[in-house]
Amino acid sequence: LRGATCRLRLPLTLAAPVLWVGLELLRAHLMTGFCWYNLGHSQYRWLLPLMPLAVEHLDLAAYDRVVSFSYAVAHGARAQREATHLAYIYTPMRYAWDLCHQYLRETGLDRGLKGLAARAALHYLRLWDLSTVNRVDHFVAISSYIARRIARVYGRESTVIYPPVDVDRLAVGRERDDFYLAASRFVPYKRIDLIVEAFSAMPDRRLVVIGDGADVNNDTAKAELASLRRRMDSWDIYAF
């Protein structure tokens, strides 16, 4: 590395991060065939329009059975013509369909040039999403509610298979504490604020909220959580 930086006349402080990024992209390309995959872990919102390209880039020609688990684009994978593709759908893309306007409003993308770009990107995602319907041979929904959403968005029937949980291994506790528990990701559409508002009218009840989210550490999320705390004294919040 030192010899290369001398020949290229690059400072070591610049060459080291460039080399690290290059190795990460190479590793991702070898693992998935799509070199921007790793960046999607931290920048997935900005790379959202590229997600269809990423999933279509997967080479599934060697498989005659394909099972995809999808809440966004995984069901759009291209299987070979003779293959059977079963898609287990957690939900059609919320931010592209029924929660589109709420998503744009709560992320501040409902106005200005960024808003226009976001609306255009979501419109493109909806068109692409509909174009993938015939790539799936069998839709499986996680619940009856999601089955209705699949029918409304994709115009396809689906089989409901609830998430596999070995309930026999779970024991129901006999002791109860004096609080109510809400466990959720800290994202706007989960509407934790409505839960807090409901408990604000019941000061004798204690609420505990547990969760985490991609935005929990940004300034907007911190301000929102602080506002929720001020609105109710008898509640606790834990972020993991």
Side-chain angles (χ1 to χ4, degrees), residues 156-207:
R156 293 281 299 273
E157 294 184 356
S158 57
T159 302
V160 177
I161 300 179
Y162 295 103
V165 178
D166 188 358
V167 294
D168 293 333
R169 296 181 57 189
L170 304 177
V172 179
R174 295 181 178 275
E175 297 181 2
R176 294 187 178 184
D177 291 321
D178 61 342
F179 64 86
Y180 293 82
L181 176 66
S184 173
R185 287 190 299 141
F186 294 152
V187 290
Y189 70 86
K190 293 295 186 179
R191 301 310 306 267
I192 297 297
D193 58 321
L194 287 182
I195 299 177
V196 173
E197 184 177 349
F199 274 81
S200 297
M202 300 181 291
D204 57 324
R205 307 293 177 88
R206 180 167 173 252
L207 172 66

Side-chain angles (χ1 to χ4, degrees), residues 75-148:
H75 63 281
R78 293 181 181 273
Q80 62 170 325
R81 186 184 299 273
E82 296 79 12
T84 299
H85 182 183
L86 185 147
Y88 190 65
I89 305 295
Y90 300 116
T91 176
M93 285 186 281
R94 295 186 182 93
Y95 41 80
W97 292 103
D98 50 337
L99 295 183
C100 175
H101 296 292
Q102 178 182 336
Y103 173 81
L104 291 171
R105 183 172 60 254
E106 291 174 345
T107 55
L109 295 175
D110 56 339
R111 54 191 175 277
L113 292 178
K114 287 185 177 181
L116 289 175
R119 291 178 187 277
L122 292 176
H123 178 69
Y124 155 72
L125 282 175
R126 286 192 292 271
L127 294 177
W128 176 86
D129 201 19
L130 291 177
S131 74
T132 66
V133 171
N134 291 329
R135 300 179 191 177
V136 177
D137 296 288
H138 305 287
F139 278 95
V140 178
I142 199 172
S143 67
S144 298
Y145 173 72
I146 296 301
R148 292 194 296 271

Side-chain angles (χ1 to χ4, degrees), residues 188 193 219-229:
D193 58 321
D219 293 338
T220 302
K222 288 179 179 178
E224 181 178 352
L225 293 177
S227 173
L228 294 177
R229 284 193 177 99

Side-chain angles (χ1 to χ4, degrees), residues 23-64:
L23 291 175
E24 283 293 298
L25 293 178
L26 176 62
R27 182 171 70 91
H29 181 71
L30 293 175
M31 290 173 58
T32 68
F34 192 74
C35 64
W36 296 104
Y37 174 82
N38 273 16
L39 295 179
H41 288 296
S42 58
Q43 305 296 330
Y44 64 94
R45 287 184 176 176
W46 301 109
L47 296 178
L48 185 61
L50 295 180
M51 288 184 181
L53 176 62
V55 75
E56 289 181 346
H57 197 75
L58 296 174
D59 184 3
L60 303 177
Y63 305 97
D64 57 6

